Amino acid sequence: MFALVPTTPLDANTIRFIAESTNAMLEARAAEQSARGERGAGARRHTPIGTRPTALPAN
């Protein structure tokens, strides 16, 4: 997260430009994360420990 600290007063157009740029960046990041989530939905990359099948010793 970052904070803008203006040294001069900002006009409405500058504020609007900054807000639109920030919103576009956040939307792109959200779309990227949702695309990543859809690709891996329901599928795990690794099986959790304890759920792997193990061979029983033969007597």
Side-chain angles (χ1 to χ4, degrees):
M1 187 48 104
F2 60 91
L4 294 175
V5 182
T7 55
T8 59
L10 299 174
D11 64 345
N13 289 332
T14 304
I15 294 170
R16 186 178 301 116
F17 173 76
I18 293 168
E20 288 174 354
S21 299
T22 304
N23 287 341
M25 177 188 67
L26 293 174
E27 287 173 3
R29 185 178 297 164
E32 198 175 280
Q33 288 175 348
S34 68
R36 221 179 300 147
E38 289 172 6
R39 213 176 16 217
R44 295 183 178 174
R45 292 182 185 199
H46 301 287
T47 306
I49 295 173
T51 60
R52 294 186 183 124
T54 55
L56 296 174
N59 288 341

